[in-house]
Amino acid sequence: MNNMIQKILKKKNKSKIVCLTSYSKNIAKEADKYADIILVGDSLGSVLYNYNTTRKVTLSNMIEHSKSVRLGVKKSLMVVDMPYNTYGSKNLALKNAKKIIKETKCDAVKLEGGKNILEQVKFLIKNKIPVMGHLGLLPQTTKGKFKSKGKTIKEKKQLIKDSILLQDSGVFSIVLECVKASTAKEITEKLKIPTVGIGSSANCDGQVLVTDDLIGLNDTKIRFVKKFINIKKYLNVGLKKFATEVKTKRFPLKKHSY
Ligand code: KIV
């Protein structure tokens, strides 16, 4: 097993796992200093392309962004989301996962779903492709309004069942998205592999947020997002200064010219 994955597994019940998304080299390079896992999420569809659904994200979108991210990631485990419609059968999943790994040199792929994608997950793992699971709110297959999961007994039982099935299939970790705190706690306590939460409380073994959200570059009002810095403020200072100096002919100076 990949050394980095072993390190992630060993964090269970010891120290929290930090996971950050990245869609390009420069952010990846900075995020890599603090993260255990860098995820090239298909959230790039909404964050960068204004898509109203991640279903529109293509395999080539994911591959091109991931190639850029790879240039910035040196120490973290790099995971790439398999986009919608790219893992409908085990053979399709393997073909596309191999393409992602070959072209991007990432360490693992992430797939959304539980029982419905077990055959694909098992087949990838059998073929030595590390897989991260994703349960709870599943943006690729949710129609209509996004709602939190695991609130009813039925949903909770299903989530627990799916998480165990994924674990037994060999995934090294599971993202829990928008799962009720008590359900996330139960899942996390039942599993030997770590859970990484997003909107699923501090009960998970780690946390992930979309980097553009947490630095305030992407405007979002989702309850689980905390804006740790308003990077737009700093960006505007620099951009405004540039514009002013160009207009007032204070830039470029002789030293900036050939
Ligand atoms: O697409 C993504 O960025 C994700 C995270 C939000 C977990 O799947």
Side-chain angles (χ1 to χ4, degrees):
M1 189 189 287
N2 179 318
N3 272 348
M4 279 186 291
I5 291 182
Q6 277 180 9
K7 262 170 115 179
I8 304 276
L9 289 168
K10 279 187 190 153
K11 285 183 179 282
K12 178 99 189 173
N13 299 324
K14 290 201 181 76
S15 59
K16 292 282 186 185
I17 294 165
V18 176
C19 178
L20 287 163
T21 65
S22 182
Y23 314 132
S24 61
K25 180 193 79 175
N26 293 338
I27 293 280
K29 197 172 164 194
E30 303 312 313
D32 190 45
K33 297 175 193 164
Y34 310 101
D36 301 298
I37 301 173
I38 300 278
L39 170 69
V40 188
D42 62 356
S43 53
L44 64 83
S46 51
V47 177
L48 301 184
Y49 296 100
N50 276 359
Y51 294 160
N52 56 359
T53 166
T54 53
R55 286 179 184 230
K56 293 184 186 164
V57 175
T58 63
L59 193 65
S60 59
N61 286 149
M62 293 309 296
I63 289 175
E64 291 313 310
H65 282 281
S66 300
K67 279 189 202 164
S68 173
V69 168
R70 181 73 273 175
L71 301 174
V73 177
K74 297 283 174 271
K75 69 161 207 17
S76 311
L77 184 83
M78 182 178 154
V79 181
V80 174
D81 260 343
M82 291 194 70
Y84 180 66
N85 257 347
T86 63
Y87 53 98
S89 69
K90 64 175 191 177
N91 290 321
L92 185 66
L94 184 62
K95 182 178 148 237
N96 288 325
K98 272 186 173 170
K99 187 173 163 73
I100 292 173
I101 296 208
K102 184 171 174 234
E103 293 192 27
T104 74
K105 311 271 181 295
C106 70
D107 302 297
V109 292
K110 176 164 81 61
L111 278 68
E112 292 184 11
K115 194 171 171 235
N116 58 323
I117 57 154
L118 276 194
E119 200 189 1
Q120 291 91 315
V121 170
K122 284 182 187 163
F123 199 52
L124 294 185
I125 292 167
K126 191 175 154 204
N127 282 280
K128 305 206 169 1
I129 296 179
V131 176
M132 187 175 203
H134 186 147
L135 290 173
L137 176 69
L138 306 177
Q140 290 180 4
T141 45
T142 299
K143 288 188 187 115
K145 221 175 155 211
F146 284 4
K147 287 189 195 132
S148 60
K149 301 285 171 188
K151 288 188 288 191
T152 63
I153 295 183
K154 192 174 164 214
E155 269 183 10
K156 178 173 153 176
K157 276 190 178 163
Q158 188 59 53
L159 279 170
I160 293 174
K161 224 167 147 185
D162 278 343
S163 62
I164 293 171
L165 283 171
L166 283 174
Q167 169 177 268
D168 293 349
S169 301
V171 305
F172 67 87
S173 173
I174 301 175
V175 166
L176 295 179
E177 181 161 355
C178 291
V179 173
K180 188 182 172 187
S182 56
T183 303
K185 184 170 190 281
E186 215 171 311
I187 293 171
T188 302
E189 284 172 358
K190 276 196 159 60
L191 296 184
K192 291 184 199 84
I193 55 166
T195 58
V196 177
I198 173 157
S200 300
S201 84
N203 295 325
C204 298
D205 297 302
Q207 297 294 323
V208 56
L209 278 182
V210 168
T211 300
D212 294 54
D213 292 345
L214 78 88
I215 63 174
L217 194 56
N218 186 42
D219 290 320
T220 181
K221 286 198 170 62
I222 305 171
R223 175 187 167 122
F224 60 72
V225 173
K226 176 175 171 182
K227 211 191 264 189
F228 288 82
I229 189 174
N230 183 359
I231 207 75
K232 264 194 197 169
K233 219 168 81 184
Y234 299 95
L235 195 57
N236 275 284
V237 171
L239 299 180
K240 190 174 171 190
K241 234 173 158 176
F242 170 73
T244 307
E245 291 197 12
V246 168
K247 285 178 187 162
T248 57
K249 299 180 184 166
R250 280 182 285 152
F251 178 85
L253 297 176
K254 229 179 184 167
K255 65 177 177 183
H256 303 119
S257 310
Y258 296 98

